[in-house]
Amino acid sequence: MAGTVLVTGATGTLGREVVRLLVARGVAVRGLSRRARGGGDGVEWVVGDLVSGAGMAQALAGVEVVVDCATTQRKEDVTGVRTLVARAREAGVRHLVYVSIVGIDRVPLAYYRTKLACERVVRESGLGWTVLRATQFHDLVLRFFDASVRLPVFPVVSGAAFQPVDVREVAEAVVDLAGQEPTGFAPEVGGPRVRSYRELAGAYLRAAGKRRLLLPLRLPGAVGRGLREGGNLTPDRAVGRGTFEEALERRFGGR
Protein backbone atom coordinates (compact mmCIF):
# COMPACT_ATOMS: atom_id res chain seq x y z
CA MET A 1 0.00 0.00 0.00
CA ALA A 2 1.66 3.20 -1.19
CA GLY A 3 1.30 6.55 0.51
CA THR A 4 -0.07 7.66 3.86
CA VAL A 5 -3.36 6.32 5.20
CA LEU A 6 -5.44 8.51 7.52
CA VAL A 7 -7.68 6.60 9.93
CA THR A 8 -10.52 8.55 11.51
CA GLY A 9 -12.00 7.15 14.70
CA ALA A 10 -8.53 5.73 15.23
CA THR A 11 -8.99 5.30 18.98
CA GLY A 12 -12.35 3.51 18.74
CA THR A 13 -13.16 -0.20 18.80
CA LEU A 14 -12.66 -0.72 15.07
CA GLY A 15 -10.19 2.10 14.47
CA ARG A 16 -7.68 0.70 16.96
CA GLU A 17 -7.65 -2.64 15.15
CA VAL A 18 -7.37 -1.02 11.73
CA VAL A 19 -4.43 1.08 12.91
CA ARG A 20 -2.74 -1.97 14.47
CA LEU A 21 -3.02 -3.99 11.25
CA LEU A 22 -1.82 -1.14 9.04
CA VAL A 23 1.24 -0.62 11.23
CA ALA A 24 1.92 -4.37 11.18
CA ARG A 25 1.86 -4.28 7.38
CA GLY A 26 4.40 -1.46 7.29
CA VAL A 27 1.97 1.20 6.10
CA ALA A 28 2.50 4.86 6.93
CA VAL A 29 -0.43 5.50 9.26
CA ARG A 30 -1.83 8.80 10.47
CA GLY A 31 -4.38 8.51 13.27
CA LEU A 32 -6.96 11.23 13.80
CA SER A 33 -7.84 12.08 17.38
CA ARG A 34 -9.69 14.97 19.02
CA ARG A 35 -6.95 15.11 21.67
CA ALA A 36 -3.17 15.18 21.43
CA ARG A 37 -1.54 11.77 21.84
CA GLY A 38 2.03 10.61 22.33
CA GLY A 39 3.92 8.61 19.72
CA GLY A 40 6.01 5.49 19.97
CA ASP A 41 3.42 3.15 18.47
CA GLY A 42 4.33 3.54 14.81
CA VAL A 43 1.48 6.01 14.26
CA GLU A 44 1.63 9.70 13.38
CA TRP A 45 -1.11 11.13 15.59
CA VAL A 46 -2.82 14.32 14.48
CA VAL A 47 -5.48 16.41 16.19
CA GLY A 48 -8.66 17.21 14.31
CA ASP A 49 -12.42 17.38 14.63
CA LEU A 50 -14.64 16.10 11.84
CA VAL A 51 -17.76 17.96 12.95
CA SER A 52 -16.19 21.40 13.35
CA GLY A 53 -13.55 20.83 10.66
CA ALA A 54 -10.76 22.08 12.92
CA GLY A 55 -7.39 20.63 11.93
CA MET A 56 -8.75 18.55 9.06
CA ALA A 57 -6.85 20.27 6.24
CA GLN A 58 -3.56 19.61 8.05
CA ALA A 59 -4.57 16.05 8.93
CA LEU A 60 -5.27 15.24 5.27
CA ALA A 61 -2.17 16.88 3.78
CA GLY A 62 -0.29 14.31 1.68
CA VAL A 63 -2.79 11.52 2.41
CA GLU A 64 -3.57 8.97 -0.33
CA VAL A 65 -6.24 6.86 1.39
CA VAL A 66 -8.73 7.64 4.17
CA VAL A 67 -10.36 4.93 6.27
CA ASP A 68 -13.38 6.44 8.05
CA CYS A 69 -14.17 4.53 11.25
CA ALA A 70 -15.43 7.57 13.14
CA THR A 71 -18.86 7.92 14.70
CA THR A 72 -20.55 10.15 17.23
CA GLN A 73 -23.62 7.84 17.11
CA ARG A 74 -25.63 11.00 16.47
CA LYS A 75 -26.84 13.03 13.47
CA GLU A 76 -23.58 14.98 13.61
CA ASP A 77 -22.01 12.05 11.77
CA VAL A 78 -23.46 13.38 8.51
CA THR A 79 -21.80 16.75 9.08
CA GLY A 80 -18.56 14.96 9.88
CA VAL A 81 -18.59 12.95 6.66
CA ARG A 82 -19.42 16.04 4.61
CA THR A 83 -16.46 17.84 6.18
CA LEU A 84 -14.19 14.86 5.57
CA VAL A 85 -15.24 14.58 1.93
CA ALA A 86 -14.76 18.30 1.25
CA ARG A 87 -11.31 18.43 2.83
CA ALA A 88 -10.32 15.11 1.18
CA ARG A 89 -11.20 16.46 -2.26
CA GLU A 90 -9.09 19.56 -1.61
CA ALA A 91 -6.17 17.37 -0.47
CA GLY A 92 -6.32 15.10 -3.53
CA VAL A 93 -7.21 11.91 -1.64
CA ARG A 94 -7.75 9.12 -4.16
CA HIS A 95 -9.66 6.55 -2.06
CA LEU A 96 -12.14 6.87 0.80
CA VAL A 97 -13.11 3.67 2.64
CA TYR A 98 -16.27 4.09 4.71
CA VAL A 99 -17.32 1.49 7.28
CA SER A 100 -21.05 1.02 7.62
CA ILE A 101 -23.62 -1.45 8.99
CA VAL A 102 -25.55 -4.32 7.43
CA GLY A 103 -29.27 -3.62 7.11
CA ILE A 104 -29.30 0.17 7.45
CA ASP A 105 -31.64 0.31 4.44
CA ARG A 106 -34.00 -2.29 5.94
CA VAL A 107 -34.24 -1.48 9.68
CA PRO A 108 -35.32 2.16 10.26
CA LEU A 109 -33.43 2.84 13.48
CA ALA A 110 -32.56 6.52 13.84
CA TYR A 111 -28.83 5.76 13.88
CA TYR A 112 -29.20 3.54 10.80
CA ARG A 113 -30.89 6.39 8.93
CA THR A 114 -27.89 8.55 9.83
CA LYS A 115 -25.46 5.93 8.52
CA LEU A 116 -27.49 5.66 5.32
CA ALA A 117 -27.25 9.43 4.87
CA CYS A 118 -23.47 9.21 5.43
CA GLU A 119 -23.21 6.54 2.75
CA ARG A 120 -25.03 8.84 0.35
CA VAL A 121 -22.51 11.62 1.01
CA VAL A 122 -19.67 9.19 0.29
CA ARG A 123 -21.29 7.93 -2.93
CA GLU A 124 -21.82 11.47 -4.19
CA SER A 125 -18.41 12.72 -3.05
CA GLY A 126 -16.63 12.61 -6.40
CA LEU A 127 -13.85 10.63 -4.70
CA GLY A 128 -12.95 7.04 -5.36
CA TRP A 129 -14.94 5.24 -2.68
CA THR A 130 -15.54 1.88 -1.05
CA VAL A 131 -18.28 1.13 1.48
CA LEU A 132 -18.03 -1.94 3.68
CA ARG A 133 -21.09 -2.97 5.68
CA ALA A 134 -20.58 -5.30 8.65
CA THR A 135 -22.89 -6.87 11.22
CA GLN A 136 -22.73 -5.97 14.92
CA PHE A 137 -19.40 -6.50 16.67
CA HIS A 138 -19.21 -8.90 19.59
CA ASP A 139 -18.18 -5.88 21.66
CA LEU A 140 -21.48 -4.11 20.97
CA VAL A 141 -23.59 -7.12 21.92
CA LEU A 142 -21.55 -7.47 25.11
CA ARG A 143 -22.20 -3.82 25.99
CA PHE A 144 -25.94 -4.39 25.59
CA PHE A 145 -25.77 -7.41 27.87
CA ASP A 146 -23.49 -5.70 30.40
CA ALA A 147 -26.20 -3.05 30.81
CA SER A 148 -29.04 -5.58 30.92
CA VAL A 149 -27.46 -7.76 33.60
CA ARG A 150 -27.56 -4.83 36.03
CA LEU A 151 -31.37 -4.95 35.93
CA PRO A 152 -33.51 -7.24 38.10
CA VAL A 153 -34.80 -8.90 34.92
CA PHE A 154 -32.93 -9.41 31.64
CA PRO A 155 -34.86 -7.99 28.65
CA VAL A 156 -34.76 -10.16 25.53
CA VAL A 157 -35.89 -8.78 22.17
CA SER A 158 -38.58 -11.18 20.96
CA GLY A 159 -38.21 -12.69 17.50
CA ALA A 160 -34.93 -10.90 16.80
CA ALA A 161 -31.69 -12.52 15.72
CA PHE A 162 -28.18 -11.18 15.39
CA GLN A 163 -25.04 -12.26 13.55
CA PRO A 164 -22.22 -10.86 15.69
CA VAL A 165 -18.75 -10.66 14.21
CA ASP A 166 -15.23 -10.30 15.61
CA VAL A 167 -14.07 -6.71 15.13
CA ARG A 168 -10.59 -7.95 14.24
CA GLU A 169 -12.00 -9.73 11.19
CA VAL A 170 -13.82 -6.61 10.06
CA ALA A 171 -10.57 -4.68 10.48
CA GLU A 172 -8.79 -7.22 8.25
CA ALA A 173 -11.40 -6.69 5.54
CA VAL A 174 -11.13 -2.91 5.88
CA VAL A 175 -7.34 -2.93 5.59
CA ASP A 176 -7.48 -5.24 2.57
CA LEU A 177 -9.93 -2.89 0.85
CA ALA A 178 -7.77 0.15 1.67
CA GLY A 179 -4.93 -1.49 -0.25
CA GLN A 180 -7.06 -2.00 -3.36
CA GLU A 181 -8.65 0.27 -5.92
CA PRO A 182 -12.04 1.77 -5.02
CA THR A 183 -14.78 -0.83 -5.49
CA GLY A 184 -18.04 0.91 -4.53
CA PHE A 185 -20.04 -1.39 -2.29
CA ALA A 186 -17.78 -4.23 -1.12
CA PRO A 187 -19.15 -7.67 -0.14
CA GLU A 188 -20.64 -7.49 3.34
CA VAL A 189 -18.96 -9.05 6.37
CA GLY A 190 -21.15 -11.05 8.74
CA GLY A 191 -20.45 -13.24 11.73
CA PRO A 192 -20.27 -17.02 11.40
CA ARG A 193 -23.77 -17.77 12.72
CA VAL A 194 -27.20 -16.21 12.98
CA ARG A 195 -28.26 -16.48 16.63
CA SER A 196 -31.48 -15.52 18.38
CA TYR A 197 -31.21 -12.70 20.91
CA ARG A 198 -32.41 -15.15 23.57
CA GLU A 199 -29.69 -17.67 22.68
CA LEU A 200 -26.97 -15.03 22.85
CA ALA A 201 -28.32 -13.74 26.17
CA GLY A 202 -28.29 -17.26 27.62
CA ALA A 203 -24.69 -17.79 26.52
CA TYR A 204 -23.71 -14.48 28.14
CA LEU A 205 -25.38 -15.28 31.47
CA ARG A 206 -23.76 -18.73 31.63
CA ALA A 207 -20.31 -17.31 30.89
CA ALA A 208 -20.79 -14.52 33.44
CA GLY A 209 -22.04 -16.94 36.08
CA LYS A 210 -25.25 -14.94 36.48
CA ARG A 211 -28.89 -15.96 36.83
CA ARG A 212 -31.62 -13.63 35.59
CA LEU A 213 -35.24 -13.98 34.60
CA LEU A 214 -35.43 -13.41 30.83
CA LEU A 215 -38.17 -10.90 30.04
CA PRO A 216 -39.48 -11.03 26.43
CA LEU A 217 -39.61 -7.57 24.89
CA ARG A 218 -41.48 -7.09 21.62
CA LEU A 219 -40.29 -4.00 19.79
CA PRO A 220 -43.17 -2.16 18.11
CA GLY A 221 -43.42 -0.54 14.73
CA ALA A 222 -41.19 -0.72 11.70
CA VAL A 223 -37.99 -1.23 13.71
CA GLY A 224 -39.37 -4.32 15.44
CA ARG A 225 -40.75 -5.65 12.17
CA GLY A 226 -37.42 -5.08 10.41
CA LEU A 227 -35.53 -7.02 13.09
CA ARG A 228 -38.05 -9.87 13.17
CA GLU A 229 -37.73 -10.14 9.38
CA GLY A 230 -33.94 -10.39 9.67
CA GLY A 231 -33.18 -7.06 8.04
CA ASN A 232 -30.02 -6.73 10.14
CA LEU A 233 -28.59 -10.06 8.93
CA THR A 234 -26.49 -11.20 6.00
CA PRO A 235 -26.64 -15.02 6.15
CA ASP A 236 -25.15 -15.39 2.67
CA ARG A 237 -22.07 -13.51 3.90
CA ALA A 238 -21.37 -15.49 7.09
CA VAL A 239 -17.63 -15.13 6.47
CA GLY A 240 -16.53 -14.45 10.04
CA ARG A 241 -14.74 -17.17 11.98
CA GLY A 242 -14.63 -15.90 15.57
CA THR A 243 -17.62 -17.02 17.62
CA PHE A 244 -19.53 -15.24 20.36
CA GLU A 245 -18.45 -17.97 22.78
CA GLU A 246 -14.82 -17.13 22.04
CA ALA A 247 -15.55 -13.48 22.80
CA LEU A 248 -17.17 -14.54 26.06
CA GLU A 249 -14.13 -16.64 26.93
CA ARG A 250 -11.87 -13.63 26.42
CA ARG A 251 -14.17 -11.53 28.59
CA PHE A 252 -14.91 -13.93 31.45
CA GLY A 253 -12.26 -16.65 31.17
CA GLY A 254 -13.16 -20.03 32.65
CA ARG A 255 -15.44 -18.52 35.30
Side-chain angles (χ1 to χ4, degrees), residues 164-223:
V165 67
D166 190 325
V167 66
R168 296 172 298 184
E169 294 174 345
V170 178
E172 288 176 8
V174 169
V175 171
D176 287 344
L177 290 167
Q180 300 169 13
E181 292 302 308
T183 61
F185 280 101
E188 295 176 338
V189 174
R193 288 180 57 198
V194 173
R195 314 274 296 275
S196 73
Y197 197 95
R198 175 177 286 270
E199 181 185 0
L200 291 167
Y204 172 90
L205 289 170
R206 287 191 297 274
K210 305 286 187 181
R211 295 175 65 88
R212 292 290 186 277
L213 175 66
L214 300 182
L215 177 67
L217 177 65
R218 183 177 175 84
L219 294 180
V223 170

Side-chain angles (χ1 to χ4, degrees), residues 144-176:
F144 285 159
F145 291 165
D146 287 344
S148 296
V149 81
R150 299 190 183 101
L151 303 173
V153 294
F154 198 104
V156 173
V157 183
S158 301
F162 289 84
Q163 193 179 346
V165 67
D166 190 325
V167 66
R168 296 172 298 184
E169 294 174 345
V170 178
E172 288 176 8
V174 169
V175 171
D176 287 344

